[in-house]
Amino acid sequence: MLRTRILCLTIAATLGALTGCGDSGGSTDSPSYDVATLDVGNYPTVPRDIEASRTELSGPRLEAARIGDAVPLPMEIDRRMVFKPTIYWERRITPADPRELPSIDKKEFSDLTQGLVAGWFTRAQRRESFQGSALQMFTLRFTDAAHAETAATRIADRQQETVPGEPVSIPGIPAAKAKWSVGKRYLDAQLTKDAMLLLVRVEDPLTEPVNTAPLAELAQRAFDKQLEGLKAYTPTPVDQLESLPIDVDGMLSRTLQLERSPTEKDGGDLSMVLAKQAALHTEFYPDLTKAAFEDAGVDLVSYSDDRVYRTKDRDAAERLIAAFIDQEAKGYKTIDSPPHMPGVKCFDLKDPKGNNYRYPPVCYVAYDRYVARIENKNVQQLHQQAAAQYKLLTQGR
């Protein structure tokens, strides 16, 4: 309740209260800048051809994003699950993008999930620290029901080998299988529905005495919500995956390209565009961000070297920035705006001993109905990156 009240008050008041951030002015309109004066360093400022990045990995990743848009947020299952624990935004699962399954090492992923087309992973917890209960879900699509059932059996068997547990019934869903690990304090459950395999893990490390009944009920709600959400998902035929669009409405072409280390394993371009529901799974505070998205009319978010949000109009873009600033205020201090870009709000880690992975230097740039979140560990490069991102947003709008 307090978090919601804070957000509501902030959206109404932050624009006025924070006009001192950086060297911003007092207008609620997104300022315009002379792009000829901006220092963009070596960053590109011309929209790229996104289709040129298409590979055989693209189709399954695009389908994974479509699945993600049908997956409920953990907080929609249990309103207490309002914290995302990691800095990473990737939630897609494909044969080329394996992920550790509950109690199973990533190295075993391919052997256990033969016939996988694509899937989505999400997790949230009750506390911002890793102490306390958590809920995670895997929503996996296979080529057919037989492959889904085989994967379910293999995963259950392997889980029992690695983390033995006692059988638990999921109320109202006799087809679901589950076990409770006394030592690890995990409840792992699985359910197949046609070609879909749903995996749910409920973690409860602190409650004494242990009572698995409410955990099984939470797993039941998770399955019910997943199945309800999947009604809105129409699987793309496998032979048509490569026809799915990589760039939606030019969002990615005007988002700075993800920089990759020369030594990084070549997994193709991981940039993506997500619809609102899928995007909320990537946010640190999904409850606050969902309210901010609804207020600002966010419908699409692009992810690459920067993150770009599309709102309903210019005023909404400014309100979204205000909401983001409020969410992160405890970890940040204000720093100067980029040269020749007064009004751009930038921040750096408040506590020198704090977590600069969680709170890297950041700038928020608005152009028309678009908001860009730019991060970089070096402030000079951050400013150049923000300038380049602004220039990109002005192209072709």
mmCIF file of all heavy atoms in Angstrom, residues 83-114:
data_model
loop_
_atom_site.group_PDB
_atom_site.id
_atom_site.type_symbol
_atom_site.label_atom_id
_atom_site.label_comp_id
_atom_site.label_asym_id
_atom_site.label_seq_id
_atom_site.Cartn_x
_atom_site.Cartn_y
_atom_site.Cartn_z
ATOM 1 N N PHE A 83 9.562 -7.821 -6.139
ATOM 2 C CA PHE A 83 10.950 -7.453 -6.376
ATOM 3 C C PHE A 83 11.587 -8.424 -7.362
ATOM 4 O O PHE A 83 11.459 -9.639 -7.225
ATOM 5 C CB PHE A 83 11.763 -7.477 -5.072
ATOM 6 C CG PHE A 83 11.312 -6.464 -4.061
ATOM 7 C CD1 PHE A 83 10.567 -6.853 -2.958
ATOM 8 C CD2 PHE A 83 11.621 -5.121 -4.225
ATOM 9 C CE1 PHE A 83 10.145 -5.927 -2.021
ATOM 10 C CE2 PHE A 83 11.194 -4.182 -3.296
ATOM 11 C CZ PHE A 83 10.461 -4.579 -2.196
ATOM 12 N N LYS A 84 12.264 -7.866 -8.368
ATOM 13 C CA LYS A 84 13.055 -8.680 -9.294
ATOM 14 C C LYS A 84 14.490 -8.681 -8.794
ATOM 15 O O LYS A 84 15.066 -7.629 -8.554
ATOM 16 C CB LYS A 84 12.999 -8.105 -10.712
ATOM 17 C CG LYS A 84 13.802 -8.924 -11.733
ATOM 18 C CD LYS A 84 13.708 -8.306 -13.108
ATOM 19 C CE LYS A 84 14.615 -7.132 -13.312
ATOM 20 N NZ LYS A 84 16.037 -7.466 -13.432
ATOM 21 N N PRO A 85 15.115 -9.853 -8.642
ATOM 22 C CA PRO A 85 16.386 -9.898 -7.926
ATOM 23 C C PRO A 85 17.642 -9.662 -8.750
ATOM 24 O O PRO A 85 18.712 -9.489 -8.169
ATOM 25 C CB PRO A 85 16.390 -11.326 -7.366
ATOM 26 C CG PRO A 85 15.625 -12.118 -8.380
ATOM 27 C CD PRO A 85 14.568 -11.184 -8.899
ATOM 28 N N THR A 86 17.566 -9.694 -10.077
ATOM 29 C CA THR A 86 18.793 -9.627 -10.875
ATOM 30 C C THR A 86 18.789 -8.416 -11.793
ATOM 31 O O THR A 86 17.746 -7.833 -12.101
ATOM 32 C CB THR A 86 18.954 -10.886 -11.739
ATOM 33 O OG1 THR A 86 17.878 -10.950 -12.685
ATOM 34 C CG2 THR A 86 18.919 -12.144 -10.873
ATOM 35 N N ILE A 87 19.988 -8.041 -12.268
ATOM 36 C CA ILE A 87 20.117 -6.883 -13.153
ATOM 37 C C ILE A 87 19.850 -7.254 -14.603
ATOM 38 O O ILE A 87 19.715 -6.367 -15.451
ATOM 39 C CB ILE A 87 21.518 -6.251 -13.039
ATOM 40 C CG1 ILE A 87 22.601 -7.239 -13.504
ATOM 41 C CG2 ILE A 87 21.795 -5.784 -11.614
ATOM 42 C CD1 ILE A 87 23.991 -6.644 -13.575
ATOM 43 N N TYR A 88 19.775 -8.534 -14.925
ATOM 44 C CA TYR A 88 19.675 -8.956 -16.319
ATOM 45 C C TYR A 88 18.241 -8.874 -16.823
ATOM 46 O O TYR A 88 17.304 -9.244 -16.123
ATOM 47 C CB TYR A 88 20.210 -10.382 -16.471
ATOM 48 C CG TYR A 88 21.600 -10.540 -15.919
ATOM 49 C CD1 TYR A 88 21.828 -11.242 -14.740
ATOM 50 C CD2 TYR A 88 22.690 -9.951 -16.550
ATOM 51 C CE1 TYR A 88 23.106 -11.361 -14.214
ATOM 52 C CE2 TYR A 88 23.966 -10.062 -16.034
ATOM 53 C CZ TYR A 88 24.167 -10.765 -14.861
ATOM 54 O OH TYR A 88 25.428 -10.877 -14.348
ATOM 55 N N TRP A 89 18.094 -8.425 -18.082
ATOM 56 C CA TRP A 89 16.748 -8.300 -18.627
ATOM 57 C C TRP A 89 16.339 -9.479 -19.506
ATOM 58 O O TRP A 89 15.181 -9.605 -19.876
ATOM 59 C CB TRP A 89 16.561 -7.003 -19.411
ATOM 60 C CG TRP A 89 17.635 -6.570 -20.368
ATOM 61 C CD1 TRP A 89 18.546 -5.580 -20.158
ATOM 62 C CD2 TRP A 89 17.881 -7.051 -21.695
ATOM 63 N NE1 TRP A 89 19.351 -5.423 -21.256
ATOM 64 C CE2 TRP A 89 18.964 -6.312 -22.226
ATOM 65 C CE3 TRP A 89 17.305 -8.035 -22.498
ATOM 66 C CZ2 TRP A 89 19.487 -6.519 -23.512
ATOM 67 C CZ3 TRP A 89 17.806 -8.252 -23.773
ATOM 68 C CH2 TRP A 89 18.883 -7.494 -24.261
ATOM 69 N N GLU A 90 17.260 -10.365 -19.844
ATOM 70 C CA GLU A 90 16.936 -11.477 -20.734
ATOM 71 C C GLU A 90 16.060 -12.509 -20.028
ATOM 72 O O GLU A 90 16.390 -12.999 -18.947
ATOM 73 C CB GLU A 90 18.225 -12.135 -21.229
ATOM 74 C CG GLU A 90 18.000 -13.276 -22.213
ATOM 75 C CD GLU A 90 17.337 -12.804 -23.485
ATOM 76 O OE1 GLU A 90 16.074 -12.803 -23.523
ATOM 77 O OE2 GLU A 90 18.043 -12.445 -24.442
ATOM 78 N N ARG A 91 14.920 -12.821 -20.638
ATOM 79 C CA ARG A 91 13.998 -13.809 -20.088
ATOM 80 C C ARG A 91 13.652 -14.889 -21.113
ATOM 81 O O ARG A 91 12.948 -15.840 -20.811
ATOM 82 C CB ARG A 91 12.687 -13.121 -19.629
ATOM 83 C CG ARG A 91 12.865 -12.203 -18.429
ATOM 84 C CD ARG A 91 13.114 -12.999 -17.168
ATOM 85 N NE ARG A 91 13.346 -12.171 -15.998
ATOM 86 C CZ ARG A 91 14.545 -11.750 -15.616
ATOM 87 N NH1 ARG A 91 15.608 -12.077 -16.317
ATOM 88 N NH2 ARG A 91 14.686 -11.023 -14.525
ATOM 89 N N ARG A 92 14.116 -14.729 -22.347
ATOM 90 C CA ARG A 92 13.781 -15.676 -23.398
ATOM 91 C C ARG A 92 14.546 -16.985 -23.224
ATOM 92 O O ARG A 92 15.688 -17.000 -22.766
ATOM 93 C CB ARG A 92 14.093 -15.066 -24.768
ATOM 94 C CG ARG A 92 13.291 -13.832 -25.096
ATOM 95 C CD ARG A 92 13.811 -13.121 -26.338
ATOM 96 N NE ARG A 92 15.169 -12.617 -26.135
ATOM 97 C CZ ARG A 92 15.874 -11.957 -27.058
ATOM 98 N NH1 ARG A 92 15.340 -11.737 -28.241
ATOM 99 N NH2 ARG A 92 17.090 -11.525 -26.792
ATOM 100 N N ILE A 93 13.908 -18.079 -23.628
ATOM 101 C CA ILE A 93 14.529 -19.406 -23.588
ATOM 102 C C ILE A 93 14.338 -20.050 -24.953
ATOM 103 O O ILE A 93 13.217 -20.105 -25.472
ATOM 104 C CB ILE A 93 13.882 -20.295 -22.512
ATOM 105 C CG1 ILE A 93 13.955 -19.634 -21.135
ATOM 106 C CG2 ILE A 93 14.565 -21.664 -22.475
ATOM 107 C CD1 ILE A 93 13.178 -20.389 -20.069
ATOM 108 N N THR A 94 15.417 -20.519 -25.547
ATOM 109 C CA THR A 94 15.366 -21.277 -26.796
ATOM 110 C C THR A 94 16.449 -22.347 -26.721
ATOM 111 O O THR A 94 17.279 -22.330 -25.807
ATOM 112 C CB THR A 94 15.628 -20.382 -28.027
ATOM 113 O OG1 THR A 94 17.021 -20.047 -28.089
ATOM 114 C CG2 THR A 94 14.788 -19.102 -28.003
ATOM 115 N N PRO A 95 16.479 -23.287 -27.663
ATOM 116 C CA PRO A 95 17.575 -24.266 -27.656
ATOM 117 C C PRO A 95 18.955 -23.602 -27.699
ATOM 118 O O PRO A 95 19.916 -24.157 -27.157
ATOM 119 C CB PRO A 95 17.306 -25.091 -28.922
ATOM 120 C CG PRO A 95 15.821 -25.023 -29.093
ATOM 121 C CD PRO A 95 15.454 -23.624 -28.680
ATOM 122 N N ALA A 96 19.054 -22.427 -28.308
ATOM 123 C CA ALA A 96 20.334 -21.718 -28.371
ATOM 124 C C ALA A 96 20.579 -20.853 -27.141
ATOM 125 O O ALA A 96 21.690 -20.332 -26.963
ATOM 126 C CB ALA A 96 20.381 -20.838 -29.625
ATOM 127 N N ASP A 97 19.557 -20.687 -26.313
ATOM 128 C CA ASP A 97 19.651 -19.844 -25.110
ATOM 129 C C ASP A 97 19.237 -20.665 -23.897
ATOM 130 O O ASP A 97 18.197 -20.429 -23.288
ATOM 131 C CB ASP A 97 18.741 -18.613 -25.246
ATOM 132 C CG ASP A 97 19.010 -17.841 -26.523
ATOM 133 O OD1 ASP A 97 20.098 -17.284 -26.641
ATOM 134 O OD2 ASP A 97 18.112 -17.812 -27.397
ATOM 135 N N PRO A 98 20.055 -21.655 -23.507
ATOM 136 C CA PRO A 98 19.671 -22.523 -22.390
ATOM 137 C C PRO A 98 19.682 -21.764 -21.068
ATOM 138 O O PRO A 98 20.331 -20.736 -20.930
ATOM 139 C CB PRO A 98 20.749 -23.606 -22.408
ATOM 140 C CG PRO A 98 21.934 -22.947 -23.026
ATOM 141 C CD PRO A 98 21.371 -22.007 -24.061
ATOM 142 N N ARG A 99 18.955 -22.277 -20.126
ATOM 143 C CA ARG A 99 18.867 -21.666 -18.802
ATOM 144 C C ARG A 99 18.852 -22.775 -17.755
ATOM 145 O O ARG A 99 18.375 -23.873 -18.014
ATOM 146 C CB ARG A 99 17.596 -20.820 -18.695
ATOM 147 C CG ARG A 99 17.423 -20.137 -17.351
ATOM 148 C CD ARG A 99 16.207 -19.259 -17.353
ATOM 149 N NE ARG A 99 16.428 -18.034 -18.090
ATOM 150 C CZ ARG A 99 16.955 -16.931 -17.568
ATOM 151 N NH1 ARG A 99 17.346 -16.923 -16.311
ATOM 152 N NH2 ARG A 99 17.103 -15.853 -18.297
ATOM 153 N N GLU A 100 19.375 -22.460 -16.586
ATOM 154 C CA GLU A 100 19.281 -23.422 -15.493
ATOM 155 C C GLU A 100 17.813 -23.634 -15.135
ATOM 156 O O GLU A 100 17.087 -22.687 -14.852
ATOM 157 C CB GLU A 100 20.051 -22.917 -14.276
ATOM 158 C CG GLU A 100 21.560 -22.925 -14.457
ATOM 159 C CD GLU A 100 22.288 -22.493 -13.201
ATOM 160 O OE1 GLU A 100 21.614 -22.149 -12.221
ATOM 161 O OE2 GLU A 100 23.537 -22.501 -13.203
ATOM 162 N N LEU A 101 17.388 -24.872 -15.159
ATOM 163 C CA LEU A 101 16.059 -25.230 -14.710
ATOM 164 C C LEU A 101 16.108 -25.471 -13.203
ATOM 165 O O LEU A 101 17.190 -25.645 -12.630
ATOM 166 C CB LEU A 101 15.576 -26.479 -15.445
ATOM 167 C CG LEU A 101 15.426 -26.319 -16.960
ATOM 168 C CD1 LEU A 101 15.243 -27.680 -17.613
ATOM 169 C CD2 LEU A 101 14.261 -25.409 -17.299
ATOM 170 N N PRO A 102 14.981 -25.463 -12.510
ATOM 171 C CA PRO A 102 15.004 -25.680 -11.066
ATOM 172 C C PRO A 102 15.746 -26.955 -10.682
ATOM 173 O O PRO A 102 15.400 -28.050 -11.134
ATOM 174 C CB PRO A 102 13.521 -25.764 -10.710
ATOM 175 C CG PRO A 102 12.845 -24.925 -11.740
ATOM 176 C CD PRO A 102 13.618 -25.188 -13.002
ATOM 177 N N SER A 103 16.812 -26.795 -9.900
ATOM 178 C CA SER A 103 17.635 -27.901 -9.387
ATOM 179 C C SER A 103 18.416 -28.625 -10.483
ATOM 180 O O SER A 103 18.950 -29.712 -10.243
ATOM 181 C CB SER A 103 16.773 -28.927 -8.615
ATOM 182 O OG SER A 103 16.080 -28.305 -7.558
ATOM 183 N N ILE A 104 18.520 -28.029 -11.666
ATOM 184 C CA ILE A 104 19.184 -28.692 -12.784
ATOM 185 C C ILE A 104 20.176 -27.724 -13.426
ATOM 186 O O ILE A 104 19.838 -26.587 -13.732
ATOM 187 C CB ILE A 104 18.163 -29.177 -13.834
ATOM 188 C CG1 ILE A 104 17.225 -30.226 -13.212
ATOM 189 C CG2 ILE A 104 18.864 -29.765 -15.048
ATOM 190 C CD1 ILE A 104 16.088 -30.641 -14.100
ATOM 191 N N ASP A 105 21.390 -28.187 -13.662
ATOM 192 C CA ASP A 105 22.436 -27.363 -14.249
ATOM 193 C C ASP A 105 22.127 -27.051 -15.712
ATOM 194 O O ASP A 105 21.534 -27.867 -16.427
ATOM 195 C CB ASP A 105 23.780 -28.097 -14.152
ATOM 196 C CG ASP A 105 24.947 -27.209 -14.534
ATOM 197 O OD1 ASP A 105 25.277 -27.160 -15.728
ATOM 198 O OD2 ASP A 105 25.499 -26.553 -13.635
ATOM 199 N N LYS A 106 22.572 -25.874 -16.143
ATOM 200 C CA LYS A 106 22.351 -25.448 -17.527
ATOM 201 C C LYS A 106 22.929 -26.437 -18.541
ATOM 202 O O LYS A 106 22.409 -26.588 -19.650
ATOM 203 C CB LYS A 106 22.961 -24.066 -17.731
ATOM 204 C CG LYS A 106 22.708 -23.469 -19.104
ATOM 205 C CD LYS A 106 23.535 -22.218 -19.342
ATOM 206 C CE LYS A 106 23.152 -21.092 -18.417
ATOM 207 N NZ LYS A 106 23.857 -19.836 -18.762
ATOM 208 N N LYS A 107 24.003 -27.116 -18.179
ATOM 209 C CA LYS A 107 24.647 -28.044 -19.103
ATOM 210 C C LYS A 107 23.720 -29.192 -19.502
ATOM 211 O O LYS A 107 23.911 -29.822 -20.544
ATOM 212 C CB LYS A 107 25.922 -28.595 -18.474
ATOM 213 C CG LYS A 107 27.002 -27.546 -18.219
ATOM 214 C CD LYS A 107 28.208 -28.157 -17.535
ATOM 215 C CE LYS A 107 29.266 -27.094 -17.242
ATOM 216 N NZ LYS A 107 30.440 -27.664 -16.523
ATOM 217 N N GLU A 108 22.754 -29.487 -18.676
ATOM 218 C CA GLU A 108 21.838 -30.596 -18.948
ATOM 219 C C GLU A 108 20.586 -30.146 -19.694
ATOM 220 O O GLU A 108 19.736 -30.977 -20.037
ATOM 221 C CB GLU A 108 21.425 -31.264 -17.634
ATOM 222 C CG GLU A 108 22.588 -31.817 -16.829
ATOM 223 C CD GLU A 108 22.125 -32.456 -15.542
ATOM 224 O OE1 GLU A 108 21.731 -33.640 -15.576
ATOM 225 O OE2 GLU A 108 22.144 -31.765 -14.506
ATOM 226 N N PHE A 109 20.473 -28.853 -19.947
ATOM 227 C CA PHE A 109 19.248 -28.297 -20.517
ATOM 228 C C PHE A 109 18.888 -28.960 -21.842
ATOM 229 O O PHE A 109 17.744 -29.390 -22.046
ATOM 230 C CB PHE A 109 19.423 -26.782 -20.710
ATOM 231 C CG PHE A 109 18.210 -26.092 -21.254
ATOM 232 C CD1 PHE A 109 17.227 -25.609 -20.404
ATOM 233 C CD2 PHE A 109 18.044 -25.910 -22.619
ATOM 234 C CE1 PHE A 109 16.111 -24.965 -20.905
ATOM 235 C CE2 PHE A 109 16.935 -25.260 -23.137
ATOM 236 C CZ PHE A 109 15.969 -24.790 -22.271
ATOM 237 N N SER A 110 19.841 -29.063 -22.747
ATOM 238 C CA SER A 110 19.550 -29.580 -24.091
ATOM 239 C C SER A 110 19.105 -31.037 -24.053
ATOM 240 O O SER A 110 18.198 -31.443 -24.806
ATOM 241 C CB SER A 110 20.774 -29.425 -24.988
ATOM 242 O OG SER A 110 21.098 -28.061 -25.154
ATOM 243 N N ASP A 111 19.719 -31.829 -23.185
ATOM 244 C CA ASP A 111 19.344 -33.242 -23.111
ATOM 245 C C ASP A 111 17.934 -33.426 -22.560
ATOM 246 O O ASP A 111 17.234 -34.367 -22.948
ATOM 247 C CB ASP A 111 20.333 -33.989 -22.218
ATOM 248 C CG ASP A 111 21.715 -34.103 -22.845
ATOM 249 O OD1 ASP A 111 21.806 -34.032 -24.089
ATOM 250 O OD2 ASP A 111 22.697 -34.251 -22.098
ATOM 251 N N LEU A 112 17.526 -32.532 -21.671
ATOM 252 C CA LEU A 112 16.239 -32.690 -21.009
ATOM 253 C C LEU A 112 15.086 -32.040 -21.761
ATOM 254 O O LEU A 112 13.926 -32.339 -21.472
ATOM 255 C CB LEU A 112 16.300 -32.111 -19.597
ATOM 256 C CG LEU A 112 17.314 -32.753 -18.648
ATOM 257 C CD1 LEU A 112 17.361 -31.994 -17.333
ATOM 258 C CD2 LEU A 112 16.980 -34.214 -18.411
ATOM 259 N N THR A 113 15.385 -31.146 -22.702
ATOM 260 C CA THR A 113 14.325 -30.373 -23.359
ATOM 261 C C THR A 113 14.350 -30.542 -24.873
ATOM 262 O O THR A 113 14.164 -29.591 -25.622
ATOM 263 C CB THR A 113 14.446 -28.882 -23.003
ATOM 264 O OG1 THR A 113 15.739 -28.398 -23.428
ATOM 265 C CG2 THR A 113 14.303 -28.659 -21.507
ATOM 266 N N GLN A 114 14.559 -31.756 -25.329
ATOM 267 C CA GLN A 114 14.554 -31.992 -26.772
ATOM 268 C C GLN A 114 13.169 -31.701 -27.343
ATOM 269 O O GLN A 114 12.160 -32.061 -26.760
ATOM 270 C CB GLN A 114 14.975 -33.425 -27.063
ATOM 271 C CG GLN A 114 16.427 -33.703 -26.687
ATOM 272 C CD GLN A 114 16.827 -35.140 -26.912
ATOM 273 O OE1 GLN A 114 16.077 -35.933 -27.474
ATOM 274 N NE2 GLN A 114 18.014 -35.504 -26.456
#
